[in-house]
Amino acid sequence: MQALAQAASETVAGPQAWAPEIARGFGLPAAAGLGPASFYADLAAGHGRRHVRVCVATACFAARGNRHLPEIEHALGLNRGESTPETSVQAVRCLGYCYAGPACLDSDTPCTGPKIAEQISGREPPYAPPIPVADATGEPVVLAGILAGQPAWRSWVETVGRRTPEQVASQVAASGLQGRGGAGFLVTDKWAAAGHSPDTVVIANGDEGDPGSYADRLLMEEDPGRVLEGLALACLACGARRGVVLVRSEYPRALARMRAAVAQAYEDGHLGAHVHGSDVDLDVEVVGGAGSYVSGEETALIAGLEGGRGCARARPPYPTSSGLWDAPTVVNNIETLAAIPWIVRHGGDAYARRGTPGEPGTKLVCLSERFARPGCYEVELGTPLRRIVTELGGGLRDGAQLAVLQVGGPLGGFLAEDELDVPLSGATLSRHGAALGHAGLVAIDHRPAPQDVLRHVWMFAAAESCGACSPCRVGSRRGLEMITVGDPPGEAYARMLNVMSQASLCAFGRRVPAAVRSLARAYGDRLRRWGG
């Protein structure tokens, strides 16, 4: 995959011109190169010496209705998807600047805000403010390093060679920590399912693709040592000797920071052979992604790491029994891992007392640019959504009124303003047709027409479906066609939503109908017929 990425970054030609030769260099058939090269957005796009990636995801859409895209195209004299040896333009979905959108990456230089086109044309300097960060719990867990100045690696040094894997797992089990990547599985259940094989691989999933969320980018950029420390503790608990950090390519600074942190960890003796004089051997590598939303799903992520197309795989077998190169594999998200050092140091019971009995602990919540006070907030699970929106976020900027709130990414769901009196928890949001996901909150005011918002959801689904199963591949494209034409939906539309929700291979296709229905419900009479 690295060879393909290197070749793609140096040419404006399509994959057919160079991918077969790369594959032959490894003694593989042409399809082995063309498959992934034509699948991943980064590899399929032509790259000029100046490559501009423009975000068209939900938060940037909500900020200006994606009018920034044609403005950037005009400033560069190129349309999206076009490239010359000097310049190329690519539309992408989320760059992690949802708090300051609209956004783009000019090569690796971020540009954000209402004057983004002027920044691209050189009439204004690049502008990309840091992520605003705050704690609403009284004692941060995940943000302990960023806000409380607690150094990373302390729990690891106190643990390795002194506590058994079972003791580490016991504390995390007592905490009730659930995965923060969206699925919400108990972390220690995943660890136990790998069977404590020394061949186990633990993957830190930094492919944070949910538009509206930038918590993982914050952690990888501002506290990478804590992320690695959590990964090391997870490896210890699983008996694993190898860890992998996957960082999405849309986060170039996070990728650089994680690589530098790994090098520093080896230098400080936190990684390598006989860590701190113990019998623990642990090696960690950092790998960059290639641009695909669905490749954040754990089986698709593993397929990508193996050099294939990032398509979801049928289960069983589950990754914990047969994952990366058939080894037992545990995939934990970045925020999940960043909570583990605090739990190991303070005890699982201390963590379990926070949040709710069914969903303990804290969660990072990201508020989009439409809020008066956008940023990343650490809150306890169970915190009322209305408090997050009105007190922490300050309501919407410029006195605007909320039309709908997207919760947990484009496939999480939408809530109307009168539905905000619910606690932030996976179970409660599910009962309201939404999902916790990464807990990104994107506010949409009354400027976009309801059908334009629905079209935006279907455009995302059609663009990001991996195509591995026909219900999702065909359904997402058909849904986009129907909303674009504007014909009143009928029984065929309702059947299509039902087939997608029941027969799609992975959660992506199954969640699209739920998101569509929740949006129709949130808008009420203005969109009710499109709920299926």
Side-chain angles (χ1 to χ4, degrees):
M1 189 69 76
Q2 292 179 349
L4 292 172
Q6 181 63 35
S9 68
E10 297 172 347
T11 180
V12 297
Q16 294 82 359
W18 48 266
E21 185 63 29
I22 297 293
R24 282 192 288 268
F26 286 90
L28 299 171
L34 278 171
S38 59
F39 175 86
Y40 292 100
D42 289 354
L43 306 183
H47 284 65
R49 283 184 285 273
R50 181 189 188 189
H51 186 60
V52 180
R53 287 176 280 183
V54 186
C55 180
V56 294
T58 314
C60 290
F61 167 81
R64 296 196 59 223
N66 279 343
R67 292 191 302 275
H68 62 291
L69 178 56
E71 292 172 358
I72 292 173
E73 291 173 329
H74 178 74
L76 294 171
L78 289 174
N79 294 325
R80 76 200 82 172
E82 294 183 344
S83 56
T84 70
E86 291 76 29
T87 310
S88 50
V89 183
Q90 179 186 6
V92 299
R93 287 158 188 85
C94 201
L95 296 170
Y97 289 88
C98 317
Y99 59 95
C104 73
L105 283 177
D106 187 353
S107 294
D108 285 345
T109 301
C111 302
T112 69
K115 294 186 177 181
I116 188 172
E118 288 85 347
Q119 296 169 48
I120 288 295
S121 65
R123 297 194 301 273
E124 295 278 347
Y127 173 72
I131 298 173
V133 187
D135 171 60
T137 70
E139 183 184 359
V141 173
V142 182
L143 299 179
I146 296 172
L147 292 179
Q150 296 182 14
W153 295 111
R154 189 190 314 181
S155 295
W156 177 242
V157 171
E158 294 173 350
T159 298
V160 65
R162 294 174 175 81
R163 300 183 192 177
T164 66
E166 292 75 18
Q167 288 173 319
V168 173
S170 175
Q171 288 300 324
V172 178
S175 75
L177 178 66
Q178 298 173 6
R180 299 302 190 222
F185 291 116
L186 281 171
V187 170
T188 48
D189 282 357
K190 261 193 179 183
W191 292 356
H196 301 283
S197 166
D199 296 326
T200 298
V201 180
V202 181
I203 299 175
N205 185 355
D207 199 7
E208 178 184 44
D210 274 353
S213 180
Y214 43 89
D216 290 350
R217 178 171 84 82
L218 170 71
L219 294 169
M220 289 188 288
E221 290 183 0
E222 302 302 328
D223 202 3
R226 190 168 310 276
V227 174
L228 292 177
E229 182 183 19
L231 175 59
L233 289 164
C235 287
L236 178 65
C238 293
R241 296 175 294 192
R242 182 187 175 199
V244 178
V245 183
L246 188 283
V247 184
R248 63 195 305 252
S249 65
E250 295 88 344
Y251 289 177
R253 184 169 181 264
L255 184 59
R257 290 280 289 154
M258 290 304 302
R259 284 175 170 160
V262 167
Q264 187 64 52
Y266 274 103
E267 185 175 328
D268 294 340
H270 300 314
L271 301 175
H274 303 295
V275 175
H276 296 303
S278 70
D279 60 356
V280 173
D281 298 336
L282 179 58
D283 287 301
V284 172
E285 64 175 317
V286 179
V287 179
S292 168
Y293 172 83
V294 78
S295 292
E297 191 274 337
E298 61 181 15
T299 63
L301 181 150
I302 290 168
L305 287 173
E306 292 174 343
R309 295 167 68 89
C311 298
R313 296 171 172 174
R315 291 176 284 189
Y318 292 91
T320 48
S321 60
S322 179
L324 184 65
W325 302 118
D326 295 327
T329 303
V330 172
V331 182
N332 289 143
N333 125 291
I334 295 296
E335 183 183 343
T336 306
L337 294 171
I340 294 173
W342 191 97
I343 293 170
V344 171
R345 183 169 179 80
H346 295 269
D349 291 341
Y351 187 85
R353 287 193 291 269
R354 312 177 77 165
T356 71
E359 297 179 48
T362 68
K363 182 77 187 74
L364 296 186
V365 176
C366 296
L367 305 188
S368 70
E369 174 271 347
R370 285 289 84 199
F371 287 95
R373 291 191 292 271
C376 184
Y377 297 82
E378 185 163 1
V379 303
E380 292 200 13
L381 283 164
T383 301
L385 263 181
R386 191 171 298 281
R387 180 187 171 224
I388 297 172
V389 168
T390 60
E391 294 182 25
L392 302 183
L396 270 58
R397 63 171 63 223
D398 303 323
Q401 297 298 309
L402 180 69
V404 292
L405 182 71
Q406 183 189 79
V407 184
L411 307 182
F414 295 84
L415 299 175
E417 196 281 335
D418 61 3
E419 295 180 291
L420 300 185
D421 294 310
V422 297
L424 183 77
S425 76
T428 305
L429 288 170
S430 178
R431 289 196 293 270
H432 285 76
L436 179 62
H438 278 80
L441 302 184
V442 177
I444 300 175
D445 57 29
H446 288 279
R447 293 175 303 165
Q451 283 211 347
D452 289 340
V453 180
L454 178 59
R455 185 180 298 108
H456 174 79
V457 173
W458 278 117
M459 287 177 66
F460 180 90
E464 294 295 343
S465 172
C466 76
C469 67
S470 56
C472 179
R473 180 182 66 251
V474 177
S476 59
R477 294 173 184 174
R478 183 61 181 143
L480 177 58
E481 291 171 359
M482 294 178 74
I483 185 63
T484 300
V485 172
D487 291 339
E491 292 184 5
Y493 179 80
R495 286 198 301 271
M496 179 190 73
L497 292 180
N498 286 333
V499 170
M500 289 183 69
S501 64
Q502 296 176 28
S504 292
L505 181 61
C506 76
F508 182 93
R510 294 194 295 269
R511 281 298 310 173
V512 171
V516 167
R517 289 172 177 138
S518 70
L519 182 64
R521 183 177 58 253
Y523 271 118
D525 291 340
R526 291 172 291 175
L527 209 58
R528 192 179 307 279
R529 65 182 185 178
W530 288 96

